[in-house]
Amino acid sequence: MTAHARHRAAARPRAPHERPTTEPPRRATARRALVALGLGILAVSYAAPQFTAHPETAGVSAGAAPGPEPSTYGVLTGADTPLRLRWSWTAEDLLDTAVTAPHLEVIDAGPAAAPAGPLLTLAGGVVGSGASGYATARVVAVDAGSGAVRWRGPTLGDVPECAAAADLVACAERTADAGRVVLLDPRDGRELGRVAVPGRATHVSVDNGTAYVVSATPQDGATRLDLTRLDADRVAATGAVTWTHTELAPLGSVPGPILTGPSAVGVTEVSVQGREFLVAAGDGSPLADRRPGAALSPGDGRRPVRTGQGRFVALPGGAPLTGNPVRPAARDGATPIPLLAMRYGEGAAGELVGYADPASGRPTWTVPGARPLAACAGRLVVAIAPSGGSGGAAATDASADSEVAALEPATGAIAWRTPLAGRPPTSAACTAGTVLTSRAGGSGGVSATRLVDGAQAWSSAPTGPAPADTEPARLTARGEALLVATRRSGLARLDCLGPT
């Protein structure tokens, strides 16, 4: 019986023959109401830290969200950690549909400083089995404070990717030979419109009320890449796209992420020639075509450079810049971050380069083997791969130790380095005084490292053997709470009950 079925059963009206006859009906009703109220208060006071309410039952009865598997989250809430589970969801319960092969991802975590507020997730799975099975997905907004579902969006088909911002949610559906984009209002999940796009959509980006979609289609021995702009107001009013720009690339080219900026939009091709093309955001007309690292002159004497957040910035004078710009995923909003780039040479791990003065084109500092994780409390926290680099043999060995280090953002000076057992961290979140990191593979788990000196506050590792492909948890801090999401296991909020 599902949680919803239990709620419905509990609320079933009593049949007339079930009414007690030992006291007047009106007095019995009043007594039952008082008892129910008292039990309800006790139930809420003990269960609230672990339970959430479904919108269909909010205000009627407390609906318990199914708890995560102990092997997934239990190790994070043991006696040696200050974390306690507040609420949790599985993809199946967010969908409110029985599915196989469930998956869940966070598409918008919201502001890190807000302990509550909406958290946008994409939940999906397969309904049925065999030839009759079909893929389904929904965008679901969860309240980060209480865990209650704020809204569930319309049912979608096979969704390869969704993107969200404060003013728009865009999801690309794939069919056998075409694609369709669904636009949603992030405030209430209301559908703003659906529009067909050329080919099969592979990437989506949202920027200031505008969605960009790139799709790839084999055509006459080549790959046709289509970049389409969709403005929410235009789609809602006319059902039409704003423009589509088409490029022909070598057969087998795979489009990379969409890069946006105030006046330019770009797409990177990967796995064939490493080529990029750049178009004007206003009308989709081509501005430049280059290989990564080459100079760009889109007509105004300023060279757009990727920031690593999917946006273009412009550097004056067309100064050269080597490497692929990157940004730490976790940021507290107060720590200044220079322009960062990953530069690869003979070493497989590459090096992290900091540009305090990007216009000069000269690196200010470099750290071999490093990759940015977080910027918090005035420091840049990086993961440093074990000997052999991210592509070397040591990096694929879960027994090889890696490091986490804190840098001074302006100078690259290392404040501290702390060894971690196993592979380099893959996700991080900043809390008061600590940086939390998670890792994949047999070394999976979460570690809390103090920002002031690099000392390990606590560490949580899987109990028993873990498979080599153990999925890393995506960590997001909301105030003093930690949101933990994994694609297969679900989403949970953990509260910090003491200093870390």
Side-chain angles (χ1 to χ4, degrees), residues 103-107 120-123 160-162 474 485-487:
H103 67 267
L104 184 145
E105 60 183 294
V106 176
I107 59 176
L120 299 186
T121 67
L122 176 65
E161 184 176 0
C162 287
R474 173 176 171 177
T486 62
R487 188 170 180 85

Side-chain angles (χ1 to χ4, degrees), residues 326 340-344 348-353 365-373 380-386 389-390 403-405 407 412 414 417 424:
V326 292
L340 304 173
M342 288 299 303
R343 187 166 62 187
Y344 296 92
E351 59 185 359
L352 180 64
V353 183
W365 51 262
T366 61
V367 179
R371 182 174 51 82
L373 286 175
L380 177 64
V381 180
V382 301
I384 300 180
S390 60
E403 289 182 303
V404 62
L407 314 179
I414 296 179
R417 304 174 71 131

Side-chain angles (χ1 to χ4, degrees), residues 158-424:
D158 184 11
V159 181
E161 184 176 0
C162 287
D167 52 2
L168 186 64
V169 179
C171 292
E173 293 183 309
R174 292 189 303 181
T175 62
D177 55 1
R180 182 173 62 174
V181 177
V182 181
L183 302 182
L184 306 176
D185 188 325
R187 296 170 298 181
D188 54 14
R190 176 173 53 90
E191 183 174 319
L192 301 176
R194 299 188 180 211
V195 60
V197 294
R200 300 188 66 184
T202 59
H203 291 85
V204 182
S205 178
V206 173
D207 187 48
N208 293 325
T210 297
Y212 296 96
V213 181
V214 65
S215 54
T217 309
Q219 177 179 302
D220 300 328
T223 297
R224 190 186 80 226
L225 302 179
D226 293 291
L227 176 63
T228 301
R229 171 173 173 163
L230 303 94
D231 290 286
D233 293 343
R234 183 184 181 99
V235 170
T238 68
V241 305
T242 304
W243 52 254
T244 296
H245 175 82
T246 301
E247 294 268 336
L248 286 180
L251 186 65
S253 293
V254 178
I258 302 168
L259 312 167
T260 62
S263 60
V265 183
V267 174
T268 302
E269 297 172 31
V270 298
S271 80
V272 175
Q273 291 186 340
R275 173 174 162 266
E276 294 181 349
F277 65 83
L278 186 69
V279 301
D283 59 7
S285 59
L287 292 178
D289 188 347
R290 69 171 181 127
R291 292 178 181 274
L296 269 180
S297 299
D300 58 3
R302 299 170 67 84
R303 176 174 178 263
V305 174
R306 288 177 289 161
T307 66
Q309 291 179 292
R311 294 188 62 83
F312 278 112
V313 296
L315 301 181
L321 180 73
T322 58
N324 300 317
V326 292
R327 297 274 282 185
R331 300 179 296 276
D332 62 6
T335 301
I337 310 171
L339 180 62
L340 304 173
M342 288 299 303
R343 187 166 62 187
Y344 296 92
E346 296 181 359
E351 59 185 359
L352 180 64
V353 183
Y355 292 85
D357 180 17
S360 71
R362 293 189 298 272
T364 306
W365 51 262
T366 61
V367 179
R371 182 174 51 82
L373 286 175
C376 40
R379 286 179 169 167
L380 177 64
V381 180
V382 301
I384 300 180
S387 177
S390 60
T396 61
D397 181 3
S399 64
D401 287 344
S402 58
E403 289 182 303
V404 62
L407 314 179
E408 298 297 334
T411 65
I414 296 179
W416 50 258
R417 304 174 71 131
T418 298
L420 293 176
R423 297 177 179 180

